[in-house]
Structure formats: structure tokens, C-alpha cells
Amino acid sequence: MRRTTVLRAGLSAALLLASAVAGLSTGHAASATPADSSPAAEAPAAEGLVSALQRDLHLTKSQATARLAQEASARTVEKAAREAAGAAYGGSWFDAGRGKLVVALTDDRRRGVVEATGAEVVPAHHTERQLNATKAALDALPAPKGISDWYVDPRAGSVVVTVVAAHQRDNDVKRFLADARKAGPVTVRETSQVPRTFAAGTVGGDPYYTGNVRCSIGFSVYGGFVTAGHCGQPGMGVSGWDGSYVGTFQGSSFPDNDYAWVSVGSGWWTVPVVLGWGTVSDQLVRGSAEAPIGASICRSGSTSHWHCGTVLAKNETVNYSQGAVHEMTKTNVCAEPGDSGGSFISGDQAQGVTSGGWGNCSSGGETWFQPVNEILNRYGLTLHTA
């Protein structure tokens, strides 16, 4: 079924369904490359986005506006700082208190050139390469159900392993931790929560369905959209919010990864928009420059709609009951069943598609997403940008 407007209350499939969005171009001249992309100049922050950060991060309007500008600068600085640090790079994160990117450095002789990029520098004992090697060794271990996740934490200078408190005395958990510590620097933390994916059974009036499963659209690409891999397998048909045929899963990976892409046709098409659900105005997507740890980030999904938080960790392995998923990004943005596959966006930059987490949007929680640039590069897709 053809759509004639993006702005419809209760519609989370707006990325696909618009023919009259004022000012949006659907021509290929606006496309971004599959790699990291960003606009030549940052567009002013949308009033609704500022309001959402005020609500979810407990900021004043001026603080929210300033933070968005600082984070835009940090995205640019991070790339230059990484290059300047070279082999001494120990990771980086956005420090909201300082309003700047902080870089961990193992060789103080590189301090001057890194600081010249606009970053602040702190000493580190381990390089990012060493920490990534430690995490890769953990990825090769069989993970018991009592292990929730593990990730590289540049602020801690180690790989953090999260253990479900109820299983901390299990022998298989103890063996995993013993082997993990042999691999390199490891810090162990506890949680009472167990990660799960956010797919849901069919509920009328929501965006897209595969059989009896409802999920959310991530980002438009030319020819379709990207979403979560646990939502469908290659060859499965997809129905839209109105029950009409949208397209077909062309590629999907889960577990190990959690990403997929769906081709669209039958009168459906793509636009570079993330639905704001009336909480904020619908957001234009202008690129996919990766936000640093500590940056603010927002999520749009078909169940809990629009919520914001911050990036907590990157390169995290999440141990779902179906198997481990690698290279995820963790946030403190809430999500609920049916939000799977939905959009994570920082400013106007696409970040990734919702995978899973714990908690809900009444009591709070944490949510992981699969970075969008990995999906674009894996399938050779081009992000549809404004």
C-alpha cells in the first residue's frame, strides 16, 4: 500500500512510508557511502531533540544545546586523535563534565600531538589493541549462561566481564573467569539482570511483521532498510503497519551478529527519517559518524517510542540465551519488546539498530545496538541521507 505522509501518530515505519515529506530528496545524489559519513556542517539541533535530552538526561535547555554541539565536535576529534596517537592509543570517550573527548595514551611522548587535535589526554597501561586482543580471546571461550556480557572499557583500562549475581558461584562461571584472567586485564562486575532480545508477538497497528513477530525498522538504505537479525531469516516476507506486503529479508545474521536488511517494493519506498513519535519532531538522518563513549544517544522503536540516554560501552559481547553476539554498543536507553531493530541516533547521525537488553521504560534499563556502519559494509548498502 502506498503512503502519502510520514507524520502519522502511532506509526513507527516512517522510514519507509512517505511520498510528501517537505524538503526531503529521495534521489541518489544525497546518498552516503557505506563507510562512516557525516555532513559538511552540523545542522542546528532540533527543538524536539533538545527537549528529549532535557527530559531523559535531566539537563536544562542550554545544557542540552551545548552538549549536542560538544558531541558533534568530539566525533570529529576522535578520528584525528586516534590517528595522532598511533600505536599508543588506549581508547577514548566523551566526558560530559569537561565537554571534551578524552583519550587514553600509553606513550606520553605522543601527548602533544594528541592534545593538538582538541582532545584531553590521560595515561593508560594498555593499548586498545591489547584490550581488543584480550576481548577476542574471551570471544573464543564457551560462555555459560551466568555470564551476561563482556566489553573493552578504555576508562577502566581492561575488559569488563559482567556476571549474573545468581550464578556467580557456578563452577562453569568460575572456570570462564579464570580463563578470562589468563587472557589479559579483566575486571569483573555483577548484575541482577539477564539480557534478552526485544522482539514481540503481533500487535495491531505497529510497523513491520514477520509471521507472528513484530519488530521495528532501523534506517533506510537505498533499496530497503536495516534492522535486527533476530527478527527474520533470508527469504522471509515482511508486512507493514497496515498489513500490506513490504518486501523480503535479503540478509540476516543472529547470533554472532544481530543485523539484517530488507528489500522494499510494492509501492513502498525509503526516506532518511527516524520517527519522533510526537515526543520530538521526526529526525532527518544526515550521516553515520560514530558517537564516542559518553555521548548522548536516542532510540526510536514501535513499542516504547522515543527515549534518550548515553553510550556506556563499545565492542561488547552480549551472551543471549540464543548465543553470543559480538561488537555491540551498550547504552542506558530503555527499550521494550517490539523495539528490536529500531533506530539509535546521535544528533543527526545514524548509530545502529536495537538488539536487546534488560528492563523497561517504566523502571529503566540498558539496551545494546549493532553499529550501523558494520551492517552497511557487510551487505554493501548505502545509507539514505538527507
Side-chain angles (χ1 to χ4, degrees):
M1 176 178 179
R2 295 180 183 272
R3 293 291 311 284
T4 58
T5 178
V6 163
L7 302 177
R8 174 185 182 273
L11 172 63
S12 65
L15 294 182
L16 298 179
L17 317 174
S19 63
V21 182
L24 298 187
S25 168
T26 56
H28 284 256
S31 67
T33 62
D36 198 49
S37 57
S38 59
E42 289 291 329
E47 188 68 25
L49 179 56
V50 172
S51 297
L53 293 186
Q54 289 180 252
R55 179 198 66 190
D56 291 341
L57 300 187
H58 309 293
L59 303 175
T60 66
K61 182 175 181 179
S62 61
Q63 288 172 334
T65 301
R67 177 161 179 160
L68 287 170
Q70 291 162 351
E71 290 173 353
S73 174
R75 287 195 294 266
T76 301
V77 169
E78 185 174 41
K79 182 177 180 180
R82 178 187 290 269
E83 293 176 353
Y89 183 73
S92 60
W93 60 93
F94 176 76
D95 187 313
R98 305 180 196 182
K100 299 187 70 174
L101 187 79
V102 179
V103 173
L105 201 63
T106 61
D107 185 350
D108 198 58
R109 292 172 295 181
R110 306 298 299 173
R111 175 181 290 270
V113 292
V114 174
E115 290 180 335
T117 67
E120 292 197 9
V121 172
V122 296
H125 295 295
H126 305 284
T127 66
E128 182 183 60
R129 184 173 182 179
Q130 290 171 325
L131 296 177
N132 285 343
T134 299
K135 180 181 176 294
L138 270 64
D139 286 345
L141 299 174
K145 67 178 182 179
I147 300 296
S148 168
D149 54 86
W150 56 95
Y151 60 95
V152 170
D153 186 348
R155 291 165 292 192
S158 68
V159 174
V160 174
V161 180
T162 309
V163 178
V164 179
H167 296 279
Q168 61 178 324
R169 299 183 185 276
D170 294 357
N171 288 332
D172 53 358
V173 169
K174 292 178 180 178
R175 283 193 295 271
F176 181 91
L177 294 178
D179 290 339
R181 292 186 174 102
K182 294 175 185 177
V186 166
T187 301
V188 178
R189 295 176 182 168
E190 289 186 4
T191 181
S192 61
Q193 307 294 335
V194 178
R196 60 191 174 94
T197 57
F198 284 128
T202 300
V203 176
D206 280 309
Y208 89 85
Y209 307 89
T210 56
N212 66 343
V213 172
R214 169 171 58 85
C215 283
S216 301
I217 292 162
F219 293 96
S220 286
V221 296
Y222 284 105
F225 65 86
V226 294
T227 187
H230 69 263
C231 292
Q233 298 296 318
M236 293 181 67
V238 171
S239 299
W241 66 276
D242 60 352
S244 67
Y245 177 75
V246 174
T248 305
F249 275 84
Q250 297 296 317
S252 178
S253 177
F254 180 79
D256 187 27
N257 305 291
D258 194 4
Y259 51 60
W261 85 279
V262 175
S263 62
V264 303
S266 302
W268 297 66
W269 54 89
T270 66
V271 291
V273 170
V274 171
L275 191 68
W277 289 97
T279 301
V280 300
S281 59
D282 293 350
Q283 301 293 301
L284 292 174
V285 178
R286 299 185 185 276
S288 57
E290 186 176 331
I293 293 171
S296 65
I297 194 165
C298 299
R299 182 194 55 73
S300 181
S302 63
T303 299
S304 57
H305 300 170
W306 182 274
H307 290 274
C308 300
T310 56
V311 177
L312 299 180
K314 296 184 180 182
N315 191 22
E316 183 157 358
T317 298
V318 181
N319 192 32
Y320 293 128
S321 61
Q322 301 94 328
V325 177
H326 305 98
E327 298 182 21
M328 302 264 270
T329 297
K330 179 166 66 178
T331 76
N332 58 9
V333 185
C334 67
E336 297 181 356
D339 288 329
S340 280
S343 321
F344 266 93
I345 188 167
S346 182
D348 56 12
Q349 300 295 301
Q351 298 298 307
V353 300
T354 303
S355 174
W358 59 266
N360 55 54
C361 290
S362 296
S363 59
E366 293 179 341
T367 304
W368 288 272
F369 68 80
Q370 187 90 68
V372 70
N373 287 324
E374 179 183 359
I375 309 172
L376 300 177
N377 287 319
R378 167 64 180 83
Y379 293 119
L381 302 170
T382 300
L383 186 68
H384 193 166
T385 58

